[in-house]
Amino acid sequence: MRRLLAVTWFSCALAAPAAAQSRPAIAPADYGKWETPGPASLSPDGRWIAYTVQRVDEQVEVRVRRLDRDSTLVIANASAPVFNADSRWLAYTVSPTPAERERLERDRKPVRTSTGLLELGTLARHALAQSSSHRFSADGRHLAVRLVPTDAAKRDAADLLVRDLAAGTSQTIGNVASYAWSDRGAQLALALETDGQAGNGVQLLDAGNGRLRTLASSTDRYRGLAWRRGAMDLAVLRSQPTNGYRDSTNVVLAWRGVGSASERRFTLDPAGGRGVLATLRVAEQRKPEWRRDGRGLAIGLRPRLVTADTASPREKASDVQVWHARDVRPIPMQKVQEQADLRRTFYSVWWLDDDRVVQIGSALAEQVTVADTGNVALETNAERYAFGQMFGRPQRDIDVVDLASGQRKRVLSGTRFGALPSPDGRRVAWFSSGQWRFTDLVTGATQAATTPAGSGFTDTEDDHPVPERGPWGNAGWSSDSRWFIAYDRYDVWRLAADGSRAERLTSGAAERRVHRVLRTEPFDQRGPLDLARPVYLQVAGEWSKENGIARLVPGQGVQLVASGAAAFSRLLRADSAATVAWVRERFDEPPNWYVATPGPAGAARRVSDLDPFQADYAWGRAELVEFRSDSGRVLQGVLYYPANHDPSRKYPMIVNTYELMSGAIHNYVPPSERSYYNRTVWTSRGYFVFTPDVVFRAGDPGRSYLECVIPAVRAVIAMGVVDSARIGLVGHSWGGYEAAYAPTQTNLFATSIAGAAITNFLSFPGAFHWTPGMPELDHWETGQARMGKAPWEDFEGHVRNSPAAFVDKLQRPMLMMFGDADGTVDWHQGVEFYNFARRAGKEDFVMLVYPGEDHGLRKKENQVDYHRRILEWFGHWLKGEPAPAWIRSGVAWQRAAAGAER
């Protein structure tokens, strides 16, 4: 075994000056001031940054900085900063203080927010009224602020303030249910809902001159305002009840050229609309969406719900549930997904000039993907593959549908990985047998993409027992539809849509540096890539953990923007300038914002100063450790050193496992009692913390886990820094399974803590994930458990990997934790193990049960309680600290209810 120091800063930390070793450890009273970055924004001109800072004590603030000046304005109790288009104003949300919020919640009063406004030229602040939302106009000259509804239970309508930013004046419009700015100029569409409904309608405000005019009015409700991108075209739904039906239907109203001399109105009434079946209605669940050329509107159709006949008396009906073995979605899943099912619609297109509706979707449960500019859509169809859908082996057919005619034809059968249409609708990309393939929707011909020697697009590292391994991934199509952007293990490729060639765009294989397309915030979050412009990339050192941000520049290749032994995230790009910003952090370096203008003079600058007080406290450091598993696989783990580490002594160690964890080496972890598995707190308490990577073998997750974790821990022991008799193990969920299983197989760990653990491999495969209502078997066979077979097909394997089967071999103390409303791992897994442990005479087994809690603890008091009990448990069993009463003898229910057990 050999130790790997990944990069120089790790070894440099070993030579820290002696003075740094005598700093005080972090105490719980100090945790509250620790800061993390929240939502942020770059001004369009690239001259300002505004970022949210969230503290462990739940305080929040916005900090605003002009990038060419070394000063920062702090706005207390603020969040979600957004600049206007001309970079002169900043809007943000103002919230009550944590203490005020707790008081309001305790008194069962609503917690309100308000809108704040900062004038960047003068730094003058303006406090606006309590509000539910605010949005700038596209030209940046106006701000719309929707106030809090006076009676939200009765109707969701409120006053709307429209502020002229330059003049400082506001216009108030009453009874606004919803609003939407056009993406050009300052046209504001308003849906009004009045008391008594007589004044309902759609109005249009020209914020530039204050003129308000009515586009539509009736006693019906209006919803779903939708502007066409780059045009003055508007659509809305007008909702109206219909006798004999439980649901409402919607008339679709659309205007082209709003405000122009050629303005034209279109109306789709589904009762007489061509192409709308009498059994269907236009549903409000899908907001109208304009086709890019303005010729059509995407709408949603749903079956009508007929009013039940209540004229004749009926006997009380049973509420029995019929669970049938043929249910692709069992009753629990149907119950959980009921509201989602009610929102599903048949994707349809209303062609305005023809006044004709073409229904594209054929099944409510299937997915429709529409080409960006082309005239086709793809619809999945999984009807023939019910068994595979139920048990983790999904397949689907793909139909292409002509949006104008509704004609469809099948282009793919039995695909496992779906398909992506090119923006122009000419081709679809799909993956099979290790290759990307392109099918021409006109000719029907399929071409396999060229795969150069020495490269491959199949994810060879996937250790799940799936029927076919999938691709490493892709970034979709280029905007000109000529290229498909795919990934191999390390690099980004562009594949010619006609299959003629493949071009490697990055060169990461030699240094094992993974390159992936990085979508910038708030732009480029979806849609095709414009390869004629720079494309940003995330760069990750697979083995070195040297990471960075780069950009792919046409004709110039890959240019690094930032790199180092750190984590880089949250990339922002200015709208009208080359400025970019990102967050950089390391385990021993707080996250901070950096900015740069990529190019010859584009050196990065740090522009925030979060957690400067960290230098006043002792802090740990992180080091990569290399080890070889018993199966011969070379893996890595991260060893976090205790604060104030003294090389002359040996320390206790906490091992925290899940799956692959070494990639988190640079993650900064603020100390917090609400974060119960907190490695910064553990290192500050004098523990080494070790997070080794774990890989699995199909059918043997427990045994393959041991093949990794035991050699990993022994590699650390061989370094001579930890006390081999004082090593604890902790994990949650799948990691909880590992922490429950390992102590039944080895005495390497002095104690373990298993949170929400799977304990019985014979009973758990037949359980449900109750939160999504999903049967466990697909997750069990081909998902995380990786068993590959049902229990009766490999009974011995299920027993061999089951902690409950070896509870009698448990020789070390174990703490187990569950919430009794756990919707992921049924908490009866804990109950079984608890009773087995009692029967086997394991007196040092303790289970904590948090009433009403789910898979992760949500209540602050329970998070803090579990955090403190973890420290007490490890403190006793790894450090020899006195055991509190709950560890020695338990706590009677009455005393637990009174909170007096300690």
Side-chain angles (χ1 to χ4, degrees):
M1 305 293 176
R2 66 184 179 89
R3 195 171 97 196
L4 174 68
L5 298 183
V7 283
T8 55
W9 68 270
F10 292 141
S11 54
C12 287
L14 291 169
Q21 302 300 310
S22 59
R23 293 169 183 161
I26 312 165
D30 303 320
Y31 297 171
K33 61 185 177 183
W34 249 264
E35 303 166 334
T36 56
S41 180
L42 267 179
S43 63
D45 64 5
R47 298 176 63 192
W48 295 83
I49 188 171
Y51 54 94
T52 308
V53 175
Q54 301 162 329
R55 281 196 282 274
V56 171
D57 66 3
E58 300 180 39
Q59 297 281 349
V60 65
E61 65 190 32
V62 165
R63 298 179 187 175
V64 186
R65 173 173 173 169
R66 181 166 165 168
L67 296 179
D68 60 359
R69 296 177 184 173
D70 190 15
S71 62
T72 301
L73 174 69
V74 177
I75 306 174
N77 305 313
S79 62
V82 178
F83 290 96
N84 75 328
D86 63 10
S87 303
R88 295 182 180 181
W89 297 86
L90 179 79
Y92 48 88
T93 298
V94 180
S95 305
T97 66
E100 177 67 8
R101 184 177 65 248
E102 288 186 9
R103 185 190 67 78
L104 291 169
E105 291 173 346
R106 185 173 56 251
D107 294 343
R108 298 184 178 181
K109 294 182 178 179
V111 179
R112 306 293 194 191
T113 60
S114 59
T115 295
L117 193 60
L118 175 68
E119 187 175 3
L120 296 173
T122 63
L123 298 184
R125 288 186 242 178
H126 306 268
L128 305 182
Q130 286 187 346
S131 58
S132 59
S133 66
H134 54 259
R135 297 170 196 153
F136 285 114
S137 61
D139 63 6
R141 298 178 180 178
H142 302 86
L143 177 69
V145 181
R146 185 170 181 266
L147 306 186
V148 175
T150 56
D151 188 1
K154 184 178 180 182
R155 59 189 179 92
D156 187 23
D159 289 345
L160 186 81
L161 301 181
V162 183
R163 186 179 180 90
D164 184 314
L165 297 174
T169 59
S170 295
Q171 180 176 355
T172 302
I173 304 169
N175 302 306
V176 175
S178 62
Y179 63 101
W181 289 106
S182 62
D183 69 353
R184 298 192 311 176
Q187 300 293 317
L188 183 63
L190 308 165
L192 304 184
E193 184 178 341
T194 61
D195 192 9
Q197 313 303 313
N200 290 3
V202 176
Q203 293 187 342
L204 185 70
L205 173 70
D206 185 334
N209 56 33
R211 294 175 184 169
L212 188 68
R213 73 183 183 98
T214 299
L215 293 177
S217 64
S218 71
T219 57
D220 297 331
R221 292 184 62 191
Y222 294 82
R223 63 183 83 189
L225 292 165
W227 289 97
R228 179 161 76 95
R229 182 178 176 182
M232 294 303 296
D233 298 346
L234 178 67
V236 71
L237 300 178
R238 190 183 76 208
S239 179
Q240 55 187 22
T242 310
N243 290 335
Y245 295 95
R246 286 188 287 145
D247 50 39
S248 297
T249 189
N250 292 275
V251 172
V252 189
L253 305 178
W255 294 264
R256 282 200 192 128
V258 174
S260 70
S262 60
E263 178 179 302
R264 184 181 175 191
R265 173 171 164 166
F266 300 84
T267 303
L268 170 65
D269 187 340
R274 285 199 299 151
V276 181
L277 298 176
T279 57
L280 301 178
R281 68 184 179 98
V282 175
E284 65 276 7
Q285 284 79 9
R286 179 182 286 274
K287 179 181 176 181
E289 182 179 357
W290 284 93
R291 298 280 297 159
R292 285 205 175 188
D293 60 9
R295 294 172 51 235
L297 271 172
I299 58 174
L301 301 178
R302 274 191 64 85
R304 301 236 55 179
L305 299 176
V306 179
T307 302
D309 180 13
T310 58
S312 58
R314 295 181 178 180
E315 62 182 30
K316 185 177 180 180
S318 169
D319 56 2
V320 63
Q321 300 173 8
V322 180
W323 294 30
H324 199 288
R326 293 185 180 181
D327 292 337
V328 176
R329 291 192 307 156
I331 294 296
M333 183 180 290
Q334 294 178 42
K335 290 170 64 178
V336 170
Q337 296 180 359
E338 181 180 13
Q339 292 305 310
D341 288 344
L342 292 174
R343 293 191 296 270
R344 297 183 190 275
T345 63
F346 297 117
Y347 184 95
S348 306
V349 178
W350 173 33
W351 297 103
L352 275 64
D353 294 315
D354 299 336
D355 193 21
R356 179 173 53 89
V357 175
V358 178
Q359 182 180 324
I360 306 302
S362 63
L364 289 174
E366 297 295 350
Q367 179 181 353
V368 172
T369 305
V370 183
D372 194 51
T373 57
N375 205 35
V376 300
L378 301 183
E379 184 182 29
T380 63
N381 190 319
E383 185 179 4
R384 295 196 297 145
Y385 310 102
F387 190 87
Q389 296 293 115
M390 287 191 282
F391 304 114
R393 298 161 179 85
Q395 290 177 267
R396 57 191 65 84
D397 299 330
I398 305 292
D399 295 339
V400 61
V401 189
D402 185 280
L403 296 180
S405 67
Q407 292 183 346
R408 64 178 59 227
K409 64 179 178 179
R410 183 143 298 169
V411 291
L412 294 175
S413 296
T415 178
R416 297 185 182 276
F417 308 111
L420 295 169
S422 60
D424 63 5
R426 175 65 186 264
R427 295 179 174 89
V428 294
W430 52 288
F431 188 82
S432 177
S433 302
Q435 288 185 303
W436 284 103
R437 303 167 191 272
F438 307 111
T439 297
D440 190 310
L441 298 179
V442 175
T443 67
T446 296
Q447 296 288 337
T450 301
T451 304
S455 180
F457 300 116
T458 300
D459 182 359
T460 54
E461 294 297 295
D462 185 1
D463 60 6
H464 295 83
V466 291
E468 179 184 355
R469 285 176 172 172
W472 284 104
N474 71 87
W477 287 88
S478 64
S479 55
D480 61 8
S481 298
R482 294 178 56 207
W483 305 93
F484 185 75
I485 296 86
Y487 303 141
D488 68 8
R489 182 168 183 171
Y490 299 109
D491 288 308
V492 180
W493 293 75
R494 65 176 188 176
L495 311 178
D498 61 4
S500 61
R501 64 191 188 276
E503 297 179 9
R504 191 195 305 263
L505 301 179
T506 61
S507 300
E511 297 181 348
R512 300 175 69 173
R513 290 166 68 84
V514 179
H515 295 72
R516 297 293 183 257
V517 170
L518 182 61
R519 303 283 185 162
T520 57
E521 300 177 17
F523 312 100
D524 306 330
Q525 289 300 293
R526 54 189 295 270
L529 286 173
D530 184 355
L531 297 181
R533 300 180 58 197
V535 173
Y536 282 88
L537 304 170
Q538 183 86 53
V539 183
E542 181 185 65
W543 203 253
S544 69
K545 302 303 186 280
E546 289 264 1
N547 304 314
I549 295 171
R551 63 177 193 156
L552 180 64
V553 182
Q556 300 180 42
V558 176
Q559 300 175 350
L560 274 177
V561 177
S563 65
F568 299 84
S569 62
R570 307 282 301 281
L571 182 66
L572 304 176
R573 177 173 62 84
D575 184 30
S576 305
T579 306
V580 291
W582 63 88
V583 171
R584 169 195 160 107
E585 64 183 283
R586 297 193 320 202
F587 175 72
D588 59 353
E589 176 187 305
N592 272 295
W593 284 99
Y594 288 73
V595 298
T597 303
R605 296 180 295 119
R606 196 181 83 176
V607 293
S608 68
D609 190 21
L610 275 68
D611 303 327
F613 42 79
Q614 180 192 304
D616 300 331
Y617 296 91
W619 202 268
R621 58 184 175 86
E623 179 176 297
L624 279 173
V625 174
E626 184 180 297
F627 63 95
R628 186 180 298 274
S629 74
D630 288 341
S631 62
R633 178 84 176 265
V634 179
L635 299 169
Q636 293 177 311
V638 184
L639 184 64
Y640 301 92
Y641 278 65
N644 282 330
H645 175 246
D646 179 357
S648 67
R649 56 173 287 214
K650 293 185 177 182
Y651 289 78
M653 181 169 73
I654 297 172
V655 180
N656 182 201
T657 62
Y658 192 72
E659 293 193 13
L660 299 177
M661 298 185 70
S662 65
I665 183 172
H666 302 306
N667 290 2
Y668 186 81
V669 181
S672 171
E673 289 196 298
R674 299 191 66 173
S675 169
Y676 31 86
Y677 306 119
N678 191 293
R679 65 179 65 115
T680 296
V681 172
W682 292 340
T683 56
S684 73
R685 291 295 187 102
Y687 295 98
F688 273 94
V689 177
F690 186 40
T691 58
D693 285 342
V694 178
V695 294
F696 297 91
R697 187 174 60 256
D700 252 337
R703 295 301 175 91
S704 51
Y705 169 75
L706 296 175
E707 291 170 2
C708 295
V709 73
I710 292 176
V713 172
R714 286 175 176 163
V716 176
I717 293 173
M719 294 167 59
V721 296
V722 303
D723 184 342
S724 62
R726 296 189 293 157
I727 299 175
L729 177 63
V730 62
H732 191 89
S733 191
W734 186 243
Y737 158 68
E738 296 163 348
Y741 182 75
T744 69
Q745 306 296 313
T746 175
N747 287 330
L748 180 63
F749 303 102
T751 185
S752 67
I753 299 178
I758 301 166
T759 65
N760 190 330
F761 271 38
L762 295 177
S763 63
F764 192 67
F768 274 86
H769 276 89
W770 291 106
T771 297
M774 181 180 70
E776 175 61 31
L777 269 170
D778 62 340
H779 178 253
W780 193 255
E781 294 184 32
T782 60
Q784 189 172 46
R786 300 171 174 87
M787 286 305 295
K789 298 179 180 179
W792 55 90
E793 295 173 326
D794 183 14
F795 186 84
E796 192 278 332
H798 280 73
V799 173
R800 182 175 66 244
N801 290 277
S802 182
F806 302 98
V807 69
D808 61 314
K809 303 295 192 297
L810 181 65
Q811 303 298 323
R812 305 296 181 141
M814 180 183 292
L815 176 66
M816 188 168 284
M817 186 281 289
F818 268 96
D820 70 3
D822 194 324
T824 302
V825 176
D826 192 316
W827 83 288
H828 292 96
Q829 289 285 296
V831 173
E832 289 181 21
F833 200 87
Y834 167 75
N835 278 318
F836 290 165
R838 292 174 66 242
R839 177 63 179 83
K842 306 303 174 182
E843 296 183 354
D844 290 325
F845 178 90
V846 177
M847 185 164 77
L848 305 175
V849 178
Y850 291 93
E853 290 282 18
D854 204 332
H855 195 54
L857 303 180
R858 297 176 179 175
K859 297 179 182 177
K860 179 179 179 179
E861 60 270 26
N862 290 338
Q863 295 168 338
V864 172
D865 182 86
Y866 184 38
H867 171 88
R868 292 175 179 174
R869 290 183 192 273
I870 289 172
L871 294 178
E872 291 175 347
W873 185 268
F874 280 142
H876 176 63
W877 295 112
L878 299 184
K879 289 184 175 181
E881 296 172 356
W886 71 270
I887 293 179
R888 293 195 311 270
S889 56
V891 181
W893 181 81
Q894 293 84 350
R895 293 182 64 208
E901 74 274 18
R902 283 185 171 85

